[in-house]
Amino acid sequence: MERPLLEDIRDRLDEFTATEKKAAHALMANYPVQGLGTVAQFAEAAGVSSPTILRFIGRLGFPGFSEFQKKLRSELESQLNSPLARSATLEAEQGGDPHVSQLLENVRETFENLPKGELDGLIRLLSDEKRTLHLIGGRFTDGLARYTAAHLRIVRSGVNHIAGQQGNWLDQLLGMGPRDVVLIFDIRRYQTEIIQFAEAAARQGATVALVTDSWMSPVGRIASFVLPARVAVPSPWDSSLALMAISEILIAGVTRENQQRAQERMRALESLRNEIDPTTESRSSGPDI
């Protein structure tokens, strides 16, 4: 699968001049829409000159602005594609069933292309018990949020899975502030209510982190940490395998960040289970709490 332009920009930020970085940040903050207007509009939004915009897209490898916009439109179409539309494309293009090999390739490419420092930084943030963690996902990613929260709750305190109907989310925004972290799982077609929740949390001072796909949820505009995963497979449905891999790396990293704390909590939880149901001790066969 062709590497999304947004990932290339994020990885090459250090290569740009100061004014080119302004262009890059403006594009990343409103991707890909910011690049679909005129050069002058892009320049005004970034606070730079039109020649700077042209130098920026040239450094990205595009011979002109029209070629740059063609790439953005192509990625926008991929973001908006429904499962039905992807099914029609696959029927026309695919012969055999390369699903398994693509799943493995997705995981490999995901971890080869994760933004430098983002993964370690997010692990440190999630490990800080001075902060309360809130995890939320969309229609197909809520299971990942629930899975991650269930594990993190074992190895640290202050972990909350935001679930249920949207009307029940709002009261969980009350009191949210600078000591809160909101970890969001959101892939195409991005859910408006998830984006609105993230924006409300950010306005109240919470730190927002995002696990998303290669095309990047709009939540990325306000997220302090963004971990994009490869999700496209030869199927009408996107794959969650690489997203799950990121979840498990985060869980393992938080557990490793403070092993003593994690072990103490696991032992305490095991003792509680034995008190409530002594037969659990004889049935226990491993570290899975």
Side-chain angles (χ1 to χ4, degrees), residues 29-215:
N30 190 18
Y31 188 87
V33 176
Q34 188 60 68
L36 295 177
T38 66
V39 174
Q41 288 170 334
F42 191 173
E44 183 179 1
V48 299
S49 67
S50 293
T52 294
I53 297 298
L54 296 177
R55 285 195 300 271
F56 169 64
I57 65 170
R59 192 181 290 272
L60 293 175
F62 297 98
F65 197 65
S66 61
E67 290 82 3
F68 168 70
Q69 291 190 319
K70 182 178 179 181
K71 171 66 172 176
L72 294 182
R73 291 190 186 97
S74 173
E75 293 195 2
L76 183 59
E77 287 177 6
S78 295
Q79 285 184 14
L80 300 177
N81 266 354
S82 68
L84 183 61
R86 292 198 292 274
S87 179
T89 302
L90 289 164
E91 287 177 5
E93 296 181 353
Q94 296 297 335
D97 182 15
H99 201 119
V100 174
S101 61
Q102 187 60 57
L103 286 172
L104 298 175
E105 184 69 7
N106 280 354
V107 175
R108 184 188 67 79
E109 288 190 1
T110 292
F111 285 95
E112 281 187 355
N113 293 289
L114 278 182
K116 298 176 180 64
E118 294 282 283
L119 184 60
D120 290 343
L122 181 52
I123 287 172
R124 287 193 295 271
L125 181 69
L126 298 180
S127 300
D128 184 358
E129 283 202 86
K130 295 178 181 177
R131 296 175 176 267
T132 300
L133 308 184
H134 309 271
L135 294 90
I136 187 171
R139 180 183 177 192
F140 294 112
T141 53
D142 180 64
L144 291 165
R146 182 185 301 111
Y147 177 87
T148 308
H151 283 76
L152 293 181
R153 198 176 289 126
I154 292 170
V155 299
R156 57 150 294 167
S157 61
V159 178
N160 174 39
H161 172 223
I162 299 172
Q165 297 180 352
Q166 181 187 3
N168 295 329
W169 300 352
L170 301 181
D171 59 355
Q172 299 186 64
L173 283 167
L174 295 174
M176 199 176 281
R179 289 189 175 274
D180 292 272
V181 176
V182 180
L183 177 58
I184 293 173
F185 294 81
D186 189 32
I187 62 173
R188 66 178 182 182
R189 308 156 82 184
Y190 313 112
Q191 290 183 228
T192 301
E193 60 269 30
I194 295 289
I195 299 166
Q196 291 173 339
F197 185 91
E199 291 172 342
R203 285 195 299 270
Q204 293 182 203
T207 300
V208 175
L210 172 67
V211 178
T212 186
D213 53 26
S214 302
W215 300 277

Side-chain angles (χ1 to χ4, degrees), residues 270 273-274 277-285:
E270 197 64 26
R273 286 187 169 175
N274 291 335
D277 181 5
T279 62
T280 59
E281 187 169 14
S282 61
R283 293 199 303 267
S284 179
S285 60

Side-chain angles (χ1 to χ4, degrees), residues 9 13 16 19-29 42 46 56:
I9 294 171
L13 275 176
F16 302 142
T19 53
E20 289 169 352
K21 279 185 179 180
K22 288 184 178 182
H25 284 300
L27 180 60
M28 289 190 297
F42 191 173
F56 169 64

